[in-house]
Amino acid sequence: MDTTMNAAPAYDFTAIDSEIEARVDDLLTRMTLEEKVGQMNQVSPNWDAREELEAAIRSGQVGSVLNVWEVAKINEMQRIAVEESRLGIPLIVGTDVIHGYRTIFPIPLAESCTWDPDLLEQAARAAADEAAAGGTDWIFAPMVDVARDPRWGRIAEGAGEDPFLGRALAVARVRGFQATDLAGGKRIVACPKHYVAYGLAEGGKDYNTVDLSERALRDVYLPPFKAALDAGAGSIMSSFNEIAGVPASANAFILRQILRDEWDWPGVVLSDYDAIGELIQHGVAADHKEAALKAVLAGEDIDMMSQAFPDHLADLVREGKVPEALVDEAVRRVLRLKFMLGIFENPYTDPALQADVLLQPAYRELALRVAQKSAVLLKNEGSLLPLAPETKVALIGPLVDDQPELLGSWACDGKPEEVETVLAGFKALLGPKAALTVVKGCAIEGRDGADDDPELDIEGAVKAARAADVAVLVLGESAMMSGEAHSRAYLGLPGKQQALLEAVVATGKPVVVVVIAGRPLVLGWMAQHVPAILMAWQGGIRSGRAVADILYGEVNPSGRLTASFPRTEGQIPVYYAHKSTGRPVNERGVIQFNRAHKVKYLDESDLPLYGFGYGLTYTTFEYADLAVETPEVPIDGIVTVSVTVRNTGERAGDEVVQLYVQDLIGEVTRPVRELKGFCKISLQPGESRRVTLNVPASELGFHGLAMSYIVEPGEFKIWVGPNAYEGLEGRFVLEA
Ligand code: NOJ
């Protein structure tokens, strides 16, 4: 693993401090009911109604604000809160810092393909440092929603399909955001979101209905949240969706029972944007007053933007429908957070900080490193890549030189003009005299849908390809085709890009495709007809340089997929950790097994095109001599396996050694494989290393018949290998 970082310790916003509690007690006794409710109200400041906003802050009706960029504005609001409100309680400033603040990193899904928690902790810390300089106290991230449906646009924001990897990366990001050495001595609190199961939206449509078993909730969707809170995250954002008929904002099971009673977590619960008001559209509240009632009883502490709390909560208390003690509890959590953040002592942000902190060379360098390690080489037939520097290249496609699209969704304070495109990356690497022809070929999408593309120039692209040694096409999605509220039903190349690709391939010239996208795409034709494919995602401000470094072999690609690439939309959801079922596709068994009566399609494979953990490099690795050091393990013991990994190619490279298990017989069914360990190693050509991986038996449990977490004795299969579908196999037994 990359351990170049001297990790600053992270704040633990869940540690209760008696001095802070005493200060909270003191304030609470002095607050009016309206002032208490004010702490539970978060608004997006409306500068057009400046006087109204200032009056609301002055009278203590606003506790926090979201997404304000200018430090001067933040300081001015803070001044009114601190100097002109009766009790001088400062505001908390929350911001969506999803993959960088000004130095934009690759989208989080891409970052997860690094499988490198240390590196992502550094990236999160850099983002937090810039955010702190911009006046932010509260980062609405990490998004830790497990996502197994690439139609869902928000798959871009998370760590992919696996809860184990999701946990590791959630912890890394919380630690980075809550680092202790941020600009101006400021502190930042993380906000894991969207609690919970938001990624399971039916049909991949954002905000859609979610209905899942409590077992899947507890085994798959909750663990990354639990890990983030255990890492010290001081807040959580509840989601828009319903879960089995109860919208998250009114769901006492998830907000009270799990967070408070089971996990004993003391942090702040924040609703998503207007999600309390949306209880009306969900059809569980008649009006804002009932929405406020349901939300506060369920356990929401802060209402983001719906106005239901500020308009109705005080009345609900006076009418005896909401105990004031419940409001006090919520306000205690908010005030405690404010004290922990240090904003009572240090409410202002020095406007001079940004000049030194934003886009500093070390952060630009870090963004490059993350982009280089995020890209996944999907195919490289005949070692077409890396290219020799003297190769005559035709650079073709709508994303060759497009700055804004490489930022991806949620680009915070990122500026398109600060993005290095692929063309810029090529020029930076090869020098201005590089043998390049550039043809856009078509638009990303076309104007009125795919059929009208005024930029269509397939002929020009074909001509350029014919005159070159190699055609490098840069194809994919625009930034706005993924992210919130941007789901897709078709996951192929949009617009005329497929036609462009087919025409260039038809020239017979060697073709490399660099795919820029916010999600796994359906790439079947490309996988069949194009010899080299690099999945570069939306790689942030250093995207283009990272792509050039990889295509020319300056960097050996090392990314591994964290979300499966379906062969066709009809396979979705396709993910590696599925169940065996009674009629698994690859097994022989009773009566009808040898016929078609299996879990499969008539017309498509059950396997993804590119699966979880997959990714190529410019070298090759061989796995040998798997030893299960502990063939019998006590139920409270540790499983230890070792394996020899050898770099059998001619270049130094990084391998992500992955460990999977299968619990063969359980009291409930278990996935066919589950990731339970991984490590990233660098090997020189010819070098081999004995790698040892440990899995505490406590990691091997699940929620059984009684819905409690159990670790069952019995036999397990174990695999160590390069992805979820390959690897050396062993066995061990957990003993009672
Ligand atoms: C809605 C999104 O779901 C959430 O992720 C975001 O933090 C809030 N809006 C605030 O912008």
Side-chain angles (χ1 to χ4, degrees):
M1 239 171 250
D2 190 333
T3 47
T4 49
M5 177 184 61
N6 288 323
Y11 280 106
D12 179 358
F13 282 95
T14 65
I16 303 292
D17 172 317
S18 55
E19 255 173 56
I20 287 182
E21 295 307 296
R23 292 175 79 181
V24 172
D25 285 337
D26 167 57
L27 257 184
L28 271 173
T29 55
R30 293 191 284 132
M31 290 170 87
T32 64
L33 179 57
E34 278 70 19
E35 284 166 335
K36 290 176 185 172
V37 170
Q39 293 303 308
M40 300 170 72
N41 181 28
Q42 179 168 110
V43 302
S44 172
N46 179 358
W47 302 105
D48 296 338
R50 186 77 185 265
E51 279 175 20
E52 222 173 285
L53 170 70
E54 291 183 357
I57 297 174
R58 199 171 287 119
S59 61
Q61 291 170 51
V62 178
S64 50
V65 294
L66 79 151
N67 290 339
V68 193
W69 310 109
E70 294 95 317
V71 173
K73 281 184 183 169
I74 291 173
N75 281 342
E76 178 53 13
M77 286 189 295
Q78 216 43 308
R79 192 194 61 72
I80 296 169
V82 171
E83 292 180 14
E84 297 182 9
S85 76
R86 194 176 74 87
L87 295 168
I89 302 174
L91 303 164
I92 320 185
V93 179
T95 309
D96 286 297
V97 182
I98 308 304
H99 50 117
Y101 181 87
R102 177 69 167 270
T103 303
I104 302 303
F105 287 80
I107 54 167
L109 180 62
E111 290 186 316
S112 70
C113 295
T114 64
W115 292 62
D116 192 336
D118 289 350
L119 184 66
L120 299 197
E121 183 175 335
Q122 292 179 59
R125 200 190 72 192
D129 194 35
E130 292 190 340
T136 292
D137 311 295
W138 192 358
I139 287 182
F140 298 148
M143 190 195 94
V144 301
D145 297 311
V146 170
R148 294 173 168 178
D149 189 335
R151 292 171 300 183
W152 189 52
R154 300 200 84 171
I155 196 171
E157 291 177 55
E161 72 184 46
D162 186 69
F164 184 86
L165 183 64
R167 276 164 58 196
L169 301 186
V171 169
R173 287 179 165 135
V174 167
R175 288 184 49 82
F177 291 145
Q178 297 189 170
T180 50
D181 58 351
L182 303 180
K186 280 188 74 115
R187 294 176 191 173
I188 282 190
V189 63
C191 187
K193 64 188 187 183
H194 306 82
Y195 187 69
V196 58
Y198 182 44
L200 201 59
E202 274 180 10
K205 286 186 286 188
D206 204 7
Y207 317 124
N208 206 8
T209 307
V210 170
D211 206 347
L212 81 170
S213 72
E214 186 178 338
R215 182 162 294 108
L217 179 72
R218 290 183 182 276
D219 283 341
V220 178
Y221 294 92
L222 285 174
F225 286 95
K226 178 74 165 84
L229 302 187
D230 286 347
S235 73
I236 203 166
M237 187 187 295
S238 58
S239 52
F240 286 120
N241 54 284
E242 69 165 75
I243 299 159
V246 187
S249 309
N251 196 320
F253 171 62
I254 61 164
L255 300 185
R256 281 198 194 280
Q257 182 182 319
I258 293 178
L259 285 183
R260 310 297 184 197
D261 302 345
E262 297 182 23
W263 295 355
D264 197 22
W265 176 71
V268 169
V269 176
L270 166 73
S271 82
D272 204 339
Y273 199 103
D274 193 29
I276 295 179
E278 289 167 15
L279 293 175
I280 300 169
Q281 282 74 25
H282 273 291
V284 296
D287 51 28
H288 271 81
K289 190 167 182 184
E290 194 181 1
L293 174 66
K294 290 205 163 178
V296 78
L297 292 179
E300 291 286 0
D301 296 327
I302 296 182
D303 172 356
M304 183 198 284
M305 288 303 292
S306 91
Q307 277 294 119
F309 279 7
D311 289 350
H312 301 290
L313 204 45
D315 284 343
L316 287 165
V317 172
R318 281 190 282 265
E319 289 162 18
K321 293 190 178 127
V322 174
E324 187 159 357
L326 210 63
V327 170
D328 285 355
E329 236 181 65
V331 177
R332 168 178 298 280
R333 290 191 275 263
V334 176
L335 294 176
R336 180 192 287 143
L337 181 59
K338 291 187 174 186
F339 282 116
M340 285 183 164
L341 283 166
I343 48 177
F344 277 90
E345 287 73 29
N346 191 9
Y348 302 113
T349 305
D350 177 358
L353 276 177
Q354 287 193 322
D356 287 338
V357 175
L358 302 193
L359 273 185
Q360 56 186 275
Y363 292 168
R364 286 179 42 78
E365 210 36 53
L366 184 59
L368 176 60
R369 207 140 50 90
V370 177
Q372 289 165 339
K373 288 171 183 264
S374 297
V376 183
L377 184 63
L378 298 176
K379 190 174 173 194
N380 192 19
E381 208 171 77
S383 297
L384 175 56
L385 292 174
L387 302 171
E390 60 281 1
T391 313
K392 254 174 84 185
V393 169
L395 258 179
I396 298 169
L399 286 154
V400 166
D401 195 26
D402 190 321
Q403 291 179 305
E405 307 306 347
L406 292 172
L407 288 173
S409 66
W410 292 112
C412 204
D413 197 26
K415 313 267 183 250
E417 62 273 20
E418 287 161 5
V419 174
E420 277 173 279
T421 63
V422 175
L423 177 59
F426 269 55
K427 286 186 176 161
L429 184 69
L430 302 172
K433 293 203 187 112
L436 293 175
T437 331
V438 180
V439 181
K440 189 167 177 187
C442 63
I444 297 172
E445 269 191 279
R447 200 168 46 195
D448 305 312
D451 287 337
D452 177 15
D453 182 352
E455 298 181 83
L456 200 61
D457 180 18
I458 292 185
E459 258 171 55
V462 165
K463 206 167 132 208
R466 286 214 174 99
D469 301 327
V470 172
V472 174
L473 287 96
V474 189
L475 307 173
E477 296 183 324
S478 62
M480 289 310 285
M481 294 181 87
S482 59
E484 185 179 351
H486 289 81
S487 295
R488 296 179 66 201
Y490 298 98
L491 300 184
L493 294 169
K496 296 287 188 200
Q497 295 183 71
Q498 181 66 28
L500 176 71
L501 174 63
E502 290 183 20
V504 173
V505 168
T507 64
K509 288 285 175 168
V511 171
V512 177
V513 177
V514 176
V515 181
I516 306 290
R519 57 160 62 78
L521 296 179
V522 168
L523 300 176
W525 190 93
M526 190 189 293
Q528 256 188 327
H529 297 94
V530 170
I533 307 172
L534 179 71
M535 186 69 204
W537 311 102
Q538 288 142 343
I541 60 167
R542 307 300 310 273
S543 288
R545 181 57 198 258
V547 166
D549 284 345
I550 291 173
L551 295 192
Y552 285 94
E554 292 294 308
V555 165
N556 191 350
S558 61
R560 303 290 188 271
L561 296 180
T562 60
S564 305
F565 276 50
R567 289 169 192 272
T568 165
E569 294 84 354
Q571 279 188 318
I572 297 170
V574 58
Y575 54 96
Y576 85 92
H578 60 81
K579 299 293 186 69
S580 164
T581 79
R583 294 185 168 196
V585 74
N586 288 326
E587 281 178 37
R588 296 161 65 86
V590 291
I591 307 179
Q592 291 189 316
F593 263 79
N594 293 327
R595 304 208 199 122
H597 299 83
K598 296 179 180 181
V599 184
K600 63 177 197 175
Y601 299 106
L602 288 177
D603 48 5
E604 188 50 274
S605 151
D606 65 310
L607 294 171
L609 179 60
Y610 300 114
F612 183 81
Y614 172 82
L616 302 173
T617 72
Y618 295 150
T619 186
T620 43
F621 297 99
E622 194 181 85
Y623 286 71
D625 303 326
L626 176 74
V628 181
E629 315 278 356
T630 52
E632 282 138 29
V633 185
I635 204 92
D636 56 354
I638 293 177
V639 183
T640 301
V641 295
S642 53
V643 70
T644 300
V645 185
R646 197 158 81 86
N647 181 343
T648 49
E650 276 151 29
R651 284 171 179 263
D654 292 348
E655 173 68 337
V656 179
V657 181
Q658 303 166 36
L659 181 155
Y660 297 87
V661 302
Q662 182 186 18
D663 182 352
L664 293 179
I665 312 287
E667 68 174 38
V668 297
T669 61
R670 307 292 304 126
V672 293
R673 282 194 191 199
E674 288 179 284
L675 183 73
K676 291 292 172 188
F678 64 92
C679 78
K680 195 165 179 178
I681 56 170
S682 302
L683 293 176
Q684 294 301 313
E687 187 185 351
S688 57
R689 184 162 319 153
R690 194 77 191 150
V691 176
T692 301
L693 291 158
N694 292 309
V695 183
S698 58
E699 283 285 340
L700 300 174
F702 55 91
H703 289 82
L705 286 173
M707 207 52 79
S708 55
Y709 185 79
I710 54 169
V711 180
E712 268 190 334
E715 196 177 6
F716 287 71
K717 275 191 191 172
I718 189 161
W719 297 264
V720 180
N723 60 60
Y725 298 85
E726 296 174 75
L728 301 176
E729 186 180 317
R731 284 181 184 241
F732 66 91
V733 174
L734 273 193
E735 295 190 319

